[in-house]
Amino acid sequence: MTETSNIGPARLGARLVAFLTERRGLVRDYFSAISGSGGRLVFSLIYFVALANTLSLADFGLFATASAAGVMLSRLLAFGFISALYRTATIRRNLIGTFTAGFILLSVLSLPLLAAASYGVYLLFFAGDLALSVFAAVVFAEALLWRPVEVALIVNNGLGRFGRAAVMSILGTLIRALLAMMFMFWPAQGIAEWSLFYIAANALSAAIAFGFFYPRQRLRLHIPLYRRRLADSIYVAGAEVLFYLQMEFDKLLVLAMGGPHLAGLYAIIMRLVDLTAIPIRTFSMMLVQKMMRAPELLARLRIRAGIELGVFLVSTLALIGLAVILHFFPKALGSNVAEAAPLVALAICVPGLRNLVEYEAELLFARGQTLIRAINLALLAGLKALLLAWVLMRGYEPAELVWSLNAVFALLYLASALLTYSALRLPAKAI
């Protein structure tokens, strides 16, 4: 009999209480951060249901795909200098004003690159289905309005102000949900009209974020300081673009090869999958901060395996719960979502595998291995494109297409794990 088996329930309970008491600051911070994720989850669901059932399925597919492209393109803003701002907030807080000034300067300088890249993406994927003005409006909302909101969130999280970040996150998602519900009663309900509502929602969120939540420090330009960080920031920008390319490229590919209607069905399923990632991202964010201060944290295989198993199980159970609800109440999320409801359960392994690929990319960022992270994400983006193109060219019905995604994401996860944990054997970069 082991020593543990001789410990009674009372002693085990006392040990657990002692463990949590010693780490009450960490527990408080986690629940402050997860409260933001919980609020976002609720309001994201309201926003999704309102929008998915107001726009036609084809328009929803076009908007979701344009939004995904906008999120990817937004990573070019300021040439990725947001990463330097995050590290500064986490480690050298007195320089936030200096690095914020650098972010503003580099944001302005990055606008021509952002515009050129946006036009190229439009010509490749949207020219035959969506007006350029509508695509430009969605990218403007994502890159120049919502991305700065994310900057304010990132800085507050870096400062350890998880409660403030949680409130800001909830407010941003609440504003989108309210505008989507207002749009339900608008006389014209096309994607062009919604793009203007989307701009208004993100503009209001940005005004609140910087008016009430961003730390007050004097803005001071220090060009030599930015030059030293710029190369690493460009690596991060490239890695972020590649990260979102491999995360969102499936929507672009489905639109290009399957048309707006299939893109709408696919976007609904992947949006439901994405909702399972919201609590996981909170955990990843706090782990990244911990690793910045203690790079040896994940040195033990048992700890790494336990974390990955936990991420997979939580994600999978979340999708199972959603699939069960939609099985018995297919119209619970509206008539448009009901068309995709029978397909949700077929993506059983996708959330866990997708969230693990995202988590592993964050490990390399935490250790300062930004160039390796960019290379890995480029390889994963290429692999995902090849696998999805092969699946789409086989002419599967929607149910067969969704089922095949489990194999696609399993191969992506195996490739990600091999690349990530090989890189983690290398010395961590000094931060």
Side-chain angles (χ1 to χ4, degrees), residues 55-91:
L55 292 173
S56 68
L57 201 57
D59 273 356
F60 181 75
L62 284 169
F63 170 73
T65 309
S67 178
V71 169
M72 178 185 72
L73 291 162
S74 74
R75 270 52 196 174
L76 296 174
L77 187 68
F79 305 107
F81 199 70
I82 292 168
S83 65
L85 189 54
Y86 179 48
R87 291 186 189 280
T88 299
T90 303
I91 300 169

Side-chain angles (χ1 to χ4, degrees), residues 262-281:
L262 182 59
L265 277 176
Y266 188 83
I268 285 174
I269 293 166
M270 294 311 292
R271 181 56 181 157
L272 293 173
V273 166
D274 195 50
L275 290 174
T276 69
I278 290 177
I280 299 297
R281 285 175 187 144

Side-chain angles (χ1 to χ4, degrees), residues 7-19:
I7 299 175
R11 288 186 63 190
L12 282 174
R15 286 189 177 186
L16 178 61
V17 170
F19 177 84

Side-chain angles (χ1 to χ4, degrees), residues 48-49 51-68 126 129 191 248 250-273 333-344 392 398 401-402 405:
F48 163 70
V49 171
L51 190 59
N53 292 288
T54 304
L55 292 173
S56 68
L57 201 57
D59 273 356
F60 181 75
L62 284 169
F63 170 73
T65 309
S67 178
F126 296 93
D129 299 298
I191 188 172
E248 307 289 358
D250 45 359
K251 295 187 181 77
L252 296 169
L253 207 55
V254 171
L255 175 65
M257 300 182 70
H261 186 82
L262 182 59
L265 277 176
Y266 188 83
I268 285 174
I269 293 166
M270 294 311 292
R271 181 56 181 157
L272 293 173
V273 166
L333 302 181
S335 55
N336 276 358
V337 180
E339 190 174 341
L343 307 177
V344 172
L392 288 166
L401 173 64
V402 174
L405 292 178

Side-chain angles (χ1 to χ4, degrees), residues 74-130:
S74 74
R75 270 52 196 174
L76 296 174
L77 187 68
F79 305 107
F81 199 70
I82 292 168
S83 65
L85 189 54
Y86 179 48
R87 291 186 189 280
T88 299
T90 303
I91 300 169
R92 303 180 66 185
R93 303 178 177 190
N94 59 312
L95 292 177
I96 288 176
T98 302
F99 276 78
T100 301
F103 169 74
I104 295 170
L105 173 65
L106 290 169
S107 293
V108 173
L109 294 177
S110 68
L111 289 179
L113 173 64
L114 179 60
S118 299
Y119 188 58
V121 170
Y122 173 78
L123 291 178
L124 278 173
F125 296 102
F126 296 93
D129 299 298
L130 187 64

Side-chain angles (χ1 to χ4, degrees), residues 224-235:
L225 193 61
Y226 310 147
R227 286 194 189 123
R228 292 200 296 271
R229 302 292 192 278
L230 192 56
D232 188 66
S233 295
I234 290 171
Y235 292 151

